[in-house]
Amino acid sequence: MHSIVKPLLAACAAAAAGTALAAGFAGVPHANPKAPGFSAPNVLTPELVEVIVAQGSTRLENPAALDFGGGATSVITSYGYYGDGPFLPLPGDVQSATHDVEATKSEPDKNTYLVLRGQRGADPSHDYGTHFLFQGHEAGAATVPGRRASFVTRINLDADADHRVTLLAAADRDGRPLPPIDGSTWDPFARKLLFTAELGAGGGVFQATLDFPSVVEEVAAMGRGGYEGIQNDSDGNLWIAEDVGGATVSSTNRSRQPNSFLFRFVPARRGDLTRGRLEVLQVLSLRTGEPIVFHPGQLVADITSDDQKDLHTYGKSLPTRWVTVHDTASDGTAPFDANALAKAKGGTPFRRPENGVFRPGSRFTELFFDETGDTDIRTQAAALGGFGSVFRLTQASPSAGQGRISLFYLGDAAHSGFDNVAFLDRNHVVFVEDAGDTLHAQRNALDSAWMLDARLDYSDPANQPVRLLAQGRDPSATIDSALSGSPGFQNDGDNELTGIHVSDGDPSPEGILGARVPHPFRDGWRAFYTQQHGDNVTWELLPARGEPPDLE
């Protein structure tokens, strides 16, 4: 066993045992263990229950076979599966490099909830109701060589079984297949759904209409990058978290070089996403006053630098400023590599920031965003964000050019791989894990959803996150975990927590996440998440006893 593993596992067990009553939730004392051949149910804090709103095998009301040229097709049949095989391996079937034993999982990702009127679907005679949950799908089926096709769906929460899920789009307005999609949000100023593709220089932001079928097109002004989380503010700006993994030091030291950036797109006119400037966050060193920047070819220097230590130390506040990397007024609208320009312009790299959200009631002056980290217990940057982190970025206004950044929470082996995020009220924020199969096995613990209190100082060991949910592993994901590593096997293993979303569905600017203080489970506020991989179930969270828990 690696020399660092034993103490980290001990810390993991100690932290798991320390869950305490907080903010109306008793919490869940332990994560579900990972054991070959064994599935496990989700375990929720006793104040909550969950109900299925859609699952992978839910048949689309309008399944489609799409032709992308060259004889390549992508058959889309169900909410979480493509039509390229059975949902589970047939008895006696064997996975090979040229034969898949089961259908490709589409992996529905981030959820966006809206209350709308007049929505149409494939059946012109059906009343689809007023409550809808939108998502892009992260995994894609192979089409032409080197490309994967994905799609956008809408869960019709008021509809019957035959009309439960509508396929909105699987191609852009020019007929090109949609890329695998990660993040999503609703822009009330542009009146468009926005989706992100986490594909490095092949990724980007795509806007989609609410019509059926939806018209989708790339937003070239925001560039191309490994974009994931996307968040609005009241000025019409868009904040984008980029997730691009950096180079690792070695096979025995799995620390990755910080290689991703936090971007802000400032439109020339609020609601028009075709013109504007893309900015990158720059953090200034407390030691030299100079920007903390990416150093090509200097892995160890970036991973263990004093500046990275300051950035990941409780109680230290570092100055920030926004730097323009591209402006359509002077640079045009041709596609560009946002990550490369961010490095050239002196942006500050982070350890895979995936998502962020504004604190409710802060008037969009306080952003909490996470780093996923290395998701490997062998990281030797544990005190430098190797297990992930949560930062608090504060500014005088959402469009301010300067601000401050400080560490809010430093992850460890028990709390690692933070991904999606949602505020439950003004003070309590939930981060869900995407620790991955490797770290699951290393710590013998599947993913969890953690609640933190924005008023607490987490440098004090007495203050610990509260586990609201211990993610289980459904039988389908258990089979996929066993097949992982088989020649050509295309599906991920253990279930992943994603798409945590708390919203009242208001499509106006007042409904932007962070504009109002949420009231979960009352006054129209609803909470959703997706148990990605395996059966790809999307859940709604509800109070177990009919009355919402008292969070204060």
Side-chain angles (χ1 to χ4, degrees):
M1 182 176 286
H2 195 279
S3 60
I4 196 173
V5 172
K6 289 184 178 178
L8 286 174
L9 289 177
C12 178
T19 301
L21 180 66
F25 292 110
V28 179
H30 305 290
N32 269 311
K34 176 184 170 83
F38 287 89
S39 61
N42 299 333
V43 182
L44 280 78
T45 185
E47 298 79 19
L48 297 176
V49 294
E50 58 187 13
V51 296
I52 296 173
V53 298
Q55 63 188 42
S57 56
T58 301
R59 187 168 176 80
L60 298 175
E61 69 160 338
N62 54 331
L66 303 176
D67 185 358
F68 296 115
T73 59
S74 178
V75 181
I76 305 169
T77 59
S78 305
Y79 177 62
Y81 295 88
Y82 289 86
D84 55 355
F87 294 167
L88 293 171
L90 299 175
D93 204 1
V94 177
Q95 174 72 31
S96 72
T98 58
H99 171 68
D100 294 327
V101 296
E102 63 183 28
T104 301
K105 312 290 178 72
S106 71
E107 300 186 9
D109 205 331
K110 188 73 176 3
N111 294 298
T112 294
Y113 172 61
L114 292 174
V115 178
L116 303 163
R117 297 190 180 278
Q119 292 298 289
R120 297 175 300 140
D123 182 351
S125 65
H126 186 72
D127 180 359
Y128 286 85
T130 57
H131 302 86
F132 304 95
L133 197 64
F134 299 84
Q135 51 283 127
H137 293 245
E138 186 177 9
T143 56
V144 295
R147 297 204 64 171
R148 292 184 294 153
S150 188
F151 57 101
V152 173
T153 51
R154 185 188 71 202
I155 300 175
N156 308 309
L157 296 167
D158 302 329
D160 60 24
D162 289 341
H163 301 88
R164 188 63 168 178
V165 183
T166 303
L167 171 65
L168 290 182
D172 68 15
R173 66 183 310 156
D174 296 319
R176 292 183 294 259
L178 294 183
I181 295 168
D182 295 271
S184 70
T185 195
W186 164 250
D187 187 328
F189 305 110
R191 301 293 297 177
K192 298 287 178 63
L193 291 160
L194 300 180
F195 297 98
T196 58
E198 183 195 349
L199 296 174
V205 178
F206 296 79
Q207 62 180 6
T209 65
L210 287 174
D211 310 83
F212 173 81
S214 179
V215 178
V216 183
E217 58 187 334
E218 182 180 1
V219 185
M222 296 185 202
R224 292 175 174 170
Y227 294 159
E228 184 157 348
I230 186 166
Q231 164 74 42
N232 315 81
D233 68 33
S234 55
D235 287 351
N237 306 317
L238 288 160
W239 301 58
I240 307 171
E242 186 190 36
D243 177 11
V244 179
T248 54
V249 173
S250 68
S251 60
T252 56
N253 178 353
R254 302 305 292 171
S255 301
R256 300 185 188 184
Q257 185 178 28
N259 191 50
S260 308
F261 298 90
L262 184 67
F263 293 99
R264 182 176 70 180
F265 178 73
V266 181
R269 181 174 60 85
R270 191 169 68 174
D272 180 2
L273 304 182
T274 64
R275 297 284 189 275
R277 66 180 185 274
L278 186 72
E279 303 172 329
V280 66
L281 187 70
Q282 189 179 76
V283 182
L284 304 181
S285 170
L286 293 176
R287 300 165 187 272
T288 66
E290 295 298 315
I292 302 172
V293 298
F294 180 86
H295 296 95
Q298 299 182 38
L299 302 181
V300 176
D302 272 359
I303 291 168
T304 63
S305 71
D306 289 336
D307 288 329
Q308 284 292 328
K309 184 179 297 183
D310 288 342
L311 193 57
H312 293 90
T313 297
Y314 288 112
K316 295 198 174 186
S317 173
L318 287 71
T320 64
R321 63 190 180 199
W322 291 98
V323 177
T324 298
V325 299
H326 186 276
D327 191 336
T328 57
S330 55
D331 302 319
T333 58
F336 61 93
D337 186 333
N339 184 278
L341 283 181
K343 291 172 180 174
K345 298 289 187 177
T348 295
F350 292 91
R351 295 179 183 278
R352 300 176 56 208
E354 295 204 41
N355 281 278
V357 66
F358 287 98
R359 185 178 183 180
S362 71
R363 297 182 181 272
F364 299 96
T365 64
E366 195 172 348
L367 180 81
F368 285 72
F369 72 96
D370 58 34
E371 290 180 309
T372 293
D374 297 327
T375 60
D376 193 312
I377 211 163
R378 294 168 293 178
T379 180
Q380 293 180 336
L384 301 170
F387 286 117
S389 315
V390 178
F391 292 106
R392 188 197 317 246
L393 175 64
T394 58
Q395 301 182 168
S397 70
S399 296
Q402 298 177 328
R404 310 285 302 188
I405 191 171
S406 58
L407 177 70
F408 171 65
Y409 184 78
L410 183 67
D412 54 31
H415 318 83
S416 186
F418 294 147
D419 192 336
N420 284 199
V421 54
F423 267 92
L424 293 179
D425 65 359
R426 187 188 306 273
N427 299 311
H428 297 96
V429 60
V430 177
F431 286 89
V432 299
E433 292 182 321
D434 175 14
D437 292 16
T438 297
L439 185 54
H440 292 164
Q442 291 169 334
R443 68 183 188 180
N444 190 30
L446 300 175
D447 288 340
S448 294
W450 297 102
M451 184 179 71
L452 296 96
D453 191 326
R455 300 165 297 185
L456 294 183
D457 174 9
Y458 285 97
S459 67
D460 183 347
N463 295 325
Q464 290 290 322
V466 175
R467 182 186 284 110
L468 297 186
L469 188 158
Q471 180 81 112
R473 187 170 66 174
D474 60 45
S476 180
T478 305
I479 292 171
D480 292 349
S481 181
L483 288 170
S484 294
S486 300
F489 186 66
Q490 81 278 32
N491 291 323
D492 286 318
D494 302 340
N495 292 122
E496 170 195 331
L497 269 163
T498 191
I500 184 74
H501 185 63
V502 177
S503 170
D504 65 353
D506 184 350
S508 78
E510 289 299 310
I512 296 174
L513 299 181
R516 289 198 296 257
V517 176
H519 299 285
F521 319 120
R522 59 165 66 96
D523 302 327
W525 289 86
R526 301 174 74 169
F528 304 91
Y529 83 92
T530 294
Q531 186 171 350
Q532 202 180 48
H533 308 161
D535 288 337
N536 282 300
V537 176
T538 295
W539 302 90
E540 181 170 6
L541 296 172
L542 297 168
R545 302 180 181 92
E547 287 295 324
D550 183 7
L551 294 177
E552 295 300 329

